[in-house]
Amino acid sequence: MKHPLNSLAIITSQLFAAGASAHNIHDIKFKPDGGYTSTVGAKYQAPNSQVNISADVKIDKLFERNMAGETLVQRITDRVYWVQNHFYNSLFFVGDKGVMVLDPLAYGAGRALLSAIKQVTDKPVTTLVYSHNHADHIGDAEVFVAEAKRQKVDLTILSSDATADKMKRLNSQLPRPTKTVDFNDGVYQFEDTRLKFIGFEHAAHTDDSAALLLVDEGVIHTPDLINPDQLPWLGFGGSENFTYYRQNLAKVSAQKWQYLSGGHGNIGSRADLDFMQHYLTDLNLAANRAMNRTDWAEFTTVENNNHAVFGAKWFEAASQDITNTLRPKYGHYYGFEASVPKQAELVLDTLLSYQ
């Protein structure tokens, strides 16, 4: 007996015409001969810290530049800059008196970020903002604390009340916030600009995840929610669950912005969010189809010794079915072979749990 379904959506001919058995490429390092295709048909340019970038343009040779150890600095608006080092990115805003940093990064990237800021302005960092309590995005906070002490600057460390509470609850060893705002649409006034916390009531990535919106600049920072110009990294950027992922994307979409920083990936735009919505629709359709096609009975055998093996083998087979189904349409995008099987398992788990 095959796994039961409440309903099966009509499958689009574009997605499934090639059939699940075709295009069986399983090398996770696979790269098309012509290179990965832009998910949004973007134009590319070298990073430029002096000239604002258009919303439909992205940074060229992103993987190669990161692997070479470059620190990429791109001016987004007159006062907002995007910085990436070793696949992690942050934003900073240059005010009249000081600089506000959105996530200090980690693993040494914080020092690269501080150096990039100094190349743009001689103003000190006066506000450091945490988007959420994950050390890979805020682990180098001490770099900025030490620099503020050296410069004799009063540094504000800002977070939502949810992040501050979580850091306290988990006894975080990182520098604690000195000021908090409401997780749900709290606004912080930094000099003459507003920073709004877009907290997710039910967050997919982690429970204190918030998007940070520079209201007056039209720039939003959404760490680990979307990797612009790429498929999501592994299990949707390390999301702790998939259940509310689309709701989180919808909340970001409802805000007023032109540029998006995902914490990873390229510089984003509305087109990147649209691509993600289409991809998730196709992923869900493929998952429904795989659930209907993958027979539980095939794996519930005495030879498998325990029922954990039943589940592991069923998930593996269904995930491979999903990956094969999506490959004709998405296999030429960055990270497909490594990431889609993991995303498939998360979606399957959600579909099994909530019907």
Side-chain angles (χ1 to χ4, degrees):
M1 183 177 67
K2 295 181 179 180
H3 197 279
L5 284 176
N6 289 341
S7 63
L8 181 63
I10 297 174
I11 308 302
T12 62
S13 59
Q14 179 184 16
L15 183 59
F16 299 115
S21 62
H23 303 272
N24 285 318
I25 301 165
H26 300 295
D27 182 357
I28 63 172
K29 303 189 301 295
F30 171 74
K31 182 178 180 180
D33 291 340
Y36 297 113
T37 304
S38 170
T39 60
V40 295
K43 295 176 286 187
Y44 293 93
Q45 68 172 43
N48 190 322
S49 63
Q50 298 181 332
V51 180
N52 298 0
I53 195 169
S54 298
D56 61 344
V57 176
K58 299 188 184 298
I59 304 303
D60 67 359
K61 303 176 183 177
L62 198 68
F63 177 80
E64 292 80 4
R65 293 181 186 279
N66 275 277
M67 290 303 296
E70 289 186 41
T71 298
L72 314 179
V73 185
Q74 176 59 54
R75 193 171 188 170
I76 302 293
T77 68
D78 289 349
R79 299 196 291 177
V80 177
Y81 295 79
W82 176 92
V83 180
Q84 185 167 96
N85 179 271
H86 203 62
F87 303 102
Y88 279 82
N89 73 261
S90 174
L91 295 174
F92 67 89
F93 173 90
V94 181
D96 294 331
K97 299 178 181 179
V99 175
M100 176 170 60
V101 174
L102 308 189
D103 284 336
L105 304 183
Y107 313 129
R111 293 191 181 280
L113 171 58
L114 181 58
S115 178
I117 293 169
K118 290 182 176 182
Q119 292 174 26
V120 169
T121 179
D122 59 2
K123 295 170 184 174
V125 174
T126 55
T127 299
L128 191 62
V129 185
Y130 294 166
S131 62
H132 66 298
N133 178 33
H134 273 178
D136 63 325
H137 286 274
I138 65 172
D140 277 352
E142 185 58 45
V143 170
F144 293 87
V145 172
E147 179 68 9
K149 289 179 179 177
R150 188 187 70 80
Q151 294 183 316
K152 298 181 180 179
V153 170
D154 185 14
L155 178 68
T156 296
I157 302 179
L158 177 71
S159 79
S160 70
D161 48 9
T163 293
D165 289 346
K166 188 172 184 179
M167 293 181 76
K168 181 179 180 180
R169 186 166 62 252
L170 298 180
N171 194 29
S172 173
Q173 301 305 298
L174 298 176
R176 300 289 183 87
T178 60
K179 186 176 181 63
T180 64
V181 297
D182 191 346
F183 179 63
N184 296 305
D185 299 332
V187 176
Y188 177 73
Q189 188 74 35
F190 177 80
E191 297 189 13
D192 63 349
T193 200
R194 294 168 293 167
L195 177 69
K196 184 178 181 180
F197 281 70
I198 313 296
F200 301 113
E201 182 180 3
H202 301 292
H205 184 61
T206 190
D207 53 6
D208 68 316
S209 286
L212 305 176
L213 176 63
L214 289 162
V215 178
D216 305 299
E217 299 292 324
V219 181
I220 195 165
H221 182 55
T222 62
D224 296 318
L225 188 62
I226 177 174
N227 286 14
D229 211 30
Q230 301 172 3
L231 290 171
W233 185 80
L234 299 183
F236 297 100
S239 290
E240 294 173 2
N241 72 76
F242 176 74
T243 310
Y244 303 108
Y245 189 79
R246 295 195 80 160
Q247 293 180 20
N248 295 175
L249 288 176
K251 190 165 186 178
V252 169
S253 181
Q255 310 306 313
K256 293 182 179 180
W257 53 269
Q258 186 177 12
Y259 298 93
L260 181 145
S261 160
H264 308 274
N266 219 305
I267 298 170
S269 68
R270 289 278 174 183
D272 291 284
L273 202 60
D274 292 342
F275 170 83
M276 273 300 301
Q277 296 285 18
H278 288 300
Y279 170 67
L280 291 176
T281 295
D282 287 343
L283 179 57
N284 272 280
L285 290 173
N288 274 301
R289 171 173 162 154
M291 287 174 65
N292 198 43
R293 288 156 51 100
T294 308
D295 194 344
W296 280 97
E298 181 181 342
F299 309 103
T300 55
T301 64
V302 173
E303 290 76 18
N304 277 334
N305 294 320
N306 65 79
H307 76 288
V309 177
F310 303 166
K313 288 195 172 185
W314 183 87
F315 271 104
E316 181 181 12
S319 295
Q320 190 58 62
D321 186 289
I322 294 168
T323 304
N324 289 341
T325 298
L326 293 174
R327 186 175 288 113
K329 185 173 179 179
Y330 293 96
H332 53 295
Y333 293 133
Y334 183 99
F336 176 88
E337 297 294 340
S339 295
V340 172
K342 296 181 182 298
Q343 293 160 23
E345 288 205 11
L346 283 172
V347 175
L348 287 167
D349 188 59
T350 297
L351 291 175
L352 285 168
S353 299
Y354 303 103
Q355 297 184 16

